[in-house]
Amino acid sequence: MAPVQEVAPTEAAPPLEFLPGLNPVTMNTSEFRRRGKEMVDYMADYLEGIERRPVYPAVEPGYLRTLIPSSAPEEPEAYEDILGDIERIIMPGVTHWHSPYFFAYFPTASSYPALLADMLCGAIGCIGFSWAASPACTELETVMMDWLGKMLQLPDAFLAGSAGMGGGVIQGSASEATLVALLAARTKVTRQLQATFPELTQAAIMERLVAYSSDQAHSSVERAGLIGGVKLKAIPSDGNFAMRASALQEALERDKVVATLGTTNCCSFDNLLEVGPLCNKERVWLHIDAAYAGSAFICPEFRHLLDGVEFADSFNFNPHKWLLVNFDCSAMWVKQRTDLIGAFKLDPVYLMHGHQDSGLITDYRHWQIPLGRRFRSLKMWFVFRTYGVKGLQAYIRKHVQLAREFESLVRQDPRFEICMEVILGLVCFRLKGSNQLNETLLKRINGARKIHLVPCHLRDKFVLRFAICSREVESAHVQQAWEHIRELAEDILKPERA
Amino acid sequence: MAPVQEVAPTEAAPPLEFLPGLNPVTMNTSEFRRRGKEMVDYMADYLEGIERRPVYPAVEPGYLRTLIPSSAPEEPEAYEDILGDIERIIMPGVTHWHSPYFFAYFPTASSYPALLADMLCGAIGCIGFSWAASPACTELETVMMDWLGKMLQLPDAFLAGSAGMGGGVIQGSASEATLVALLAARTKVTRQLQATFPELTQAAIMERLVAYSSDQAHSSVERAGLIGGVKLKAIPSDGNFAMRASALQEALERDKVVATLGTTNCCSFDNLLEVGPLCNKERVWLHIDAAYAGSAFICPEFRHLLDGVEFADSFNFNPHKWLLVNFDCSAMWVKQRTDLIGAFKLDPVYLMHGHQDSGLITDYRHWQIPLGRRFRSLKMWFVFRTYGVKGLQAYIRKHVQLAREFESLVRQDPRFEICMEVILGLVCFRLKGSNQLNETLLKRINGARKIHLVPCHLRDKFVLRFAICSREVESAHVQQAWEHIRELAEDILKPERA
């Protein structure tokens, strides 16, 4: 290759037209102090008054484009105009995930200490792809993942400690964690096979790889297989929607299992104590995804649901769902950090630094898909300290109790049935009768916009999901929601009876 | 499959131990109002005083673990204690990316309107994976990506408009955008080949796929190939570190090209007007990654660097680098949105909604790797309106002018050389002489902790990168930095002369 030549100066640099008045028109620090405090009040007002807003918006697709200019303004606009447009343009189209009348999907976390930490994260604005890029960003994350691992009583093998082989990392989402686990498993198996059968090509190996998951696993598992080019086989779940060893044994060839704890559909639990030893015996990578349910395992009375995690190679759940740490914060642990790093490691010069090969430091870019990363562990630090473990446990227990309360309301009405044992904060229920009937009921519920629910299919049944979501949801909201559902059901059932 | 059975109630639900005092000990809304305003002042103080902090931390690996308890507190802690620990534990380990003495890597954006928008994003806290999950979140993103596309004068084919086939999406990072483009290309080529040669297996096709990129492309391109299981061939760049058609022609079989605009090493530009038509002729997917440089294309005098984008299938750059929109905000456009969607689309029932198949709506979960997504377009909206296009252009021009100023300082010193034409905000320079000499210089620079730089390799030379990064950097900082570098060089060169 040709050596670098000294480069001559550019002959005629294009003239640079400056705006001398740039600073006055944009926002300076003292203006930010004022506007920031105003925004804090707006945030507080929004969250304080959220239950007075319709939980689900009434807009039609394309509503926003008609309210907004078709291109960016040439000249700066007044901040008042932007602020005013929040209520005029944005809020009418927002689904209010933190309304106490929101019972859809699964919760997404929101708490004041997390919001404060995220503000700080924004101001620091470092990109923590390597230790050197901001040591505090990397080190607080490692320690917070240890804290959280201990709260869940994870086996020591998953903790970084000061000399562990494992450790935790914050991923953006459970989908990413699943993909990262699949890629690590793929790389590990490929290397093992190449060592044993050096004549095999990469493609020949890829063709033989199979990943297994419960047929109740989240769609992100299927996607991870699609992205990583690994075939996915769904293992039929049992009557409780759990994957059992007997079914897996039948299907098992050599590869990887993704087991799921607390499926999205109905919060069922795979039998890890059966599946785990089988995976270890067959040297199959076991990844456990407990995206929603994981937060509950900080309570001793729910920890048994995680029994068998000791057989896993990687484990993931989302504090950004149910542990009061705002999105995004998906917690992932591995027993062998070298397995993750091996799947990704590439070291360009501009990312090298002095401590690179000391073995003492963690460069989290090797643990994830993107290069850049925010200082997300601040949120965990603020939340864990503000609530304390006891406060977090009380929060989980309150949600579980509200779910049981809703369950018992449903059970008192003989026209309804509960479709799945209520273990945590999700109640799967339906009107006894046709799917059509239940689809109509759901349409009426969401059309009325007082509460918001989404459905699922369990086997061939159309089922309504009632998930306890909001930090502010109380018994009174649950009772109101149930009364509302009953009234709507009444309306639907009346003509049938008449 | 067995039909769903009505499930009997749990016999003995474990007793739920409540903390009656939960609310008082945690943070309520009025406490948030107070603490939020305090945090706004902390943020403003931090950014206002950032240049008085050493830009690079003096800590050793493992510093933080010794300052922090080994597990989370059982009981809630006082907020004052947390706040106090920011300066005690976090700040000593922070690399201050927004210091005007930070000239490392590439800039990461920070502006007050973006911070305000991110606060709002946190409070709304919606997860916008589908249109229905929060229509405003999806619709503002589509319109903001159109605004930004127009600012860059992208061909209409990349805009969503009200009836376009293309459109934009915010990805978390350029790495994700590259991976998504590669997966879309892989799916498209695979389907074409399967249609023509139905006897080919998936694995046989995968084995034949090749992606090309400039040998100067970012490591994330290599990683995307690794993840997607597609072989990557590096096309040797020319004397200006640009990929040329002649070199590509030699290598081209059937597949995909990732062209890179403004490489991380030295900000070189591939020749799109040569490479583009060749890709179109050979029906090769062309993805253009201009992660850093892309922001400059809002200035008419730099737009010519993007000429040839009309041949691309997908284009990406990072407003979170140089366009004042805080991380993360990586802007990606495609001409055929169905190409992206086709690579990912899976539709579980719990994510279906009424407008699903209307063709009117966008479900961004089909455009990206993760499922969840924050309301990131608010940051674009606030920034574009607060600065106006003219304000943003002035910002870019100021940075370019500062880079030219540094370049001319370097050129006045005959002991130094400029290694690459300075086109935007990056200056690649070195002491004339050995790599060893330059490595020593860099070590002294970063050791002194007054300014922060990272190196790169250009061909076989070790080169120092001086990137204009901070929003607050002024001519005086650049001059001080140069004086400092000269002094350190003096020290190194003296003994050699003696």
Side-chain angles (χ1 to χ4, degrees), chain B residues 152-452:
Chain B
L152 296 170
Q153 296 178 270
L154 284 188
D156 279 350
F158 286 105
L159 307 181
S162 35
M165 310 290 285
V169 60
I170 301 175
Q171 303 283 359
S173 65
S175 313
E176 281 173 59
T178 304
L179 177 58
V180 166
L182 182 126
L183 296 172
R186 192 186 76 180
T187 305
K188 193 173 189 174
V189 173
T190 303
R191 285 184 188 158
Q192 282 168 357
L193 286 175
Q194 278 172 332
T196 322
F197 310 102
E199 72 283 6
L200 282 182
T201 65
Q202 175 89 18
I205 291 174
M206 287 284 283
E207 196 165 21
R208 293 170 63 180
L209 296 183
V210 180
Y212 299 95
S213 81
S214 157
D215 62 2
Q216 296 296 309
H218 191 268
S219 57
S220 62
V221 177
E222 196 177 337
R223 253 177 133 183
L226 210 64
I227 294 168
V230 174
K231 277 184 292 296
L232 190 75
K233 291 190 185 164
I235 306 296
S237 50
D238 70 7
N240 292 317
F241 303 100
M243 178 164 66
R244 302 295 295 266
S246 51
L248 178 61
Q249 180 83 66
E250 283 173 32
L252 197 65
E253 296 163 31
R254 181 178 202 83
D255 194 43
K256 168 173 179 296
V257 165
V258 176
T260 308
L261 280 182
T263 59
T264 306
N265 270 341
C266 60
C267 204
S268 62
F269 289 84
D270 293 333
N271 195 321
L272 289 181
L273 288 172
E274 276 185 18
V275 169
L278 182 61
C279 290
N280 285 186
K281 181 169 151 264
E282 301 284 343
R283 296 180 62 199
V284 159
W285 183 291
L286 176 64
H287 175 66
I288 299 176
D289 175 9
Y292 163 67
S295 299
F297 306 153
I298 64 166
C299 299
E301 69 271 28
F302 299 121
R303 175 56 178 76
H304 68 95
L305 294 167
L306 189 59
D307 286 352
V309 70
E310 57 274 20
F311 302 111
D313 296 281
S314 52
F315 167 63
N316 166 251
F317 86 98
N318 291 348
H320 70 228
K321 281 201 162 69
W322 200 13
L323 211 57
L324 293 161
V325 183
N326 286 43
F327 189 86
D328 53 328
C329 180
S330 182
M332 180 187 196
W333 290 266
V334 284
K335 273 190 191 153
Q336 295 288 336
R337 55 167 91 189
T338 47
D339 288 339
L340 284 200
I341 295 168
F344 287 121
K345 197 170 181 178
L346 296 168
D347 269 323
V349 181
Y350 49 81
L351 295 181
M352 287 194 175
H353 52 84
H355 291 286
Q356 183 87 15
D357 297 311
S358 69
L360 286 171
I361 57 104
T362 298
D363 284 345
Y364 274 126
R365 71 177 182 279
H366 300 309
W367 298 52
Q368 62 175 20
I369 308 285
L371 177 61
R373 54 204 330 274
R374 297 160 69 236
F375 200 159
R376 292 173 291 195
S377 57
L378 288 171
K379 290 186 287 199
M380 299 170 81
W381 197 45
F382 273 51
V383 168
F384 297 165
R385 296 180 68 182
T386 305
Y387 282 85
V389 175
K390 285 188 181 169
L392 296 170
Q393 288 170 337
Y395 180 70
I396 296 288
R397 287 169 180 147
K398 180 178 167 185
H399 272 201
V400 175
Q401 194 177 61
L402 290 173
R404 302 244 170 109
E405 184 175 343
F406 185 79
E407 178 194 7
S408 81
L409 290 168
V410 175
R411 287 193 187 281
Q412 285 160 35
D413 189 326
R415 297 168 303 180
F416 284 86
E417 59 188 348
I418 295 289
C419 309
M420 182 66 204
E421 187 187 349
V422 177
I423 300 177
L424 299 173
L426 176 68
V427 183
C428 291
F429 72 108
R430 66 197 302 278
L431 274 169
K432 289 172 185 166
S434 71
N435 283 352
Q436 179 60 49
L437 188 69
N438 281 284
E439 284 176 38
T440 306
L441 175 60
L442 183 70
K443 209 165 275 177
R444 297 268 178 102
I445 291 172
N446 286 330
R449 297 168 57 229
K450 284 191 179 171
I451 64 173
H452 190 41

Side-chain angles (χ1 to χ4, degrees), chain A residues 123-361:
Chain A
I124 294 176
C126 65
I127 306 295
F129 44 71
S130 68
W131 181 86
S134 213
C137 179
T138 294
E139 297 203 10
L140 187 66
E141 182 162 333
T142 308
V143 176
M144 284 305 103
M145 291 298 295
D146 275 1
W147 277 22
L148 185 55
K150 288 177 188 172
M151 284 160 66
L152 296 170
Q153 298 177 269
L154 284 188
D156 279 349
F158 286 105
L159 306 182
S162 35
M165 311 290 286
V169 59
I170 302 176
Q171 303 283 359
S173 65
S175 312
E176 281 173 59
T178 304
L179 177 58
V180 165
L182 182 126
L183 295 172
R186 193 187 74 180
T187 305
K188 192 173 191 175
V189 172
T190 302
R191 285 182 188 160
Q192 284 167 356
L193 286 175
Q194 278 172 331
T196 322
F197 310 101
E199 71 284 4
L200 282 182
T201 65
Q202 174 89 18
I205 292 173
M206 287 285 283
E207 196 165 23
R208 294 169 62 179
L209 297 182
V210 181
Y212 299 94
S213 82
S214 155
D215 62 2
Q216 296 297 309
H218 192 268
S219 56
S220 62
V221 178
E222 197 177 337
R223 253 178 132 181
L226 211 63
I227 293 168
V230 174
K231 277 185 289 296
L232 190 76
K233 291 191 184 163
I235 306 295
S237 51
D238 69 7
N240 291 318
F241 304 101
M243 178 164 67
R244 302 294 296 266
S246 52
L248 179 62
Q249 180 83 67
E250 283 173 32
L252 199 63
E253 296 163 31
R254 182 178 201 81
D255 193 45
K256 168 175 180 295
V257 164
V258 176
T260 308
L261 279 182
T263 59
T264 306
N265 270 341
C266 60
C267 203
S268 61
F269 290 84
D270 293 331
N271 195 321
L272 290 180
L273 287 172
E274 277 185 19
V275 169
L278 181 60
C279 290
N280 284 186
K281 182 169 150 263
E282 302 283 342
R283 296 180 63 198
V284 159
W285 183 290
L286 177 64
H287 175 66
I288 298 176
D289 175 10
Y292 163 68
S295 299
F297 306 152
I298 64 166
C299 299
E301 68 272 28
F302 299 120
R303 175 55 177 77
H304 68 95
L305 295 166
L306 188 59
D307 286 352
V309 69
E310 58 273 21
F311 302 110
D313 296 279
S314 52
F315 167 63
N316 167 251
F317 85 98
N318 291 347
H320 69 226
K321 281 200 163 67
W322 200 13
L323 210 59
L324 293 161
V325 182
N326 286 43
F327 188 87
D328 53 328
C329 180
S330 182
M332 180 186 195
W333 290 266
V334 284
K335 273 188 190 154
Q336 294 288 337
R337 55 166 91 189
T338 48
D339 287 340
L340 284 200
I341 294 168
F344 286 123
K345 196 168 182 179
L346 295 169
D347 268 324
V349 180
Y350 49 83
L351 294 181
M352 287 194 174
H353 53 82
H355 292 287
Q356 184 85 15
D357 297 312
S358 69
L360 286 170
I361 58 105

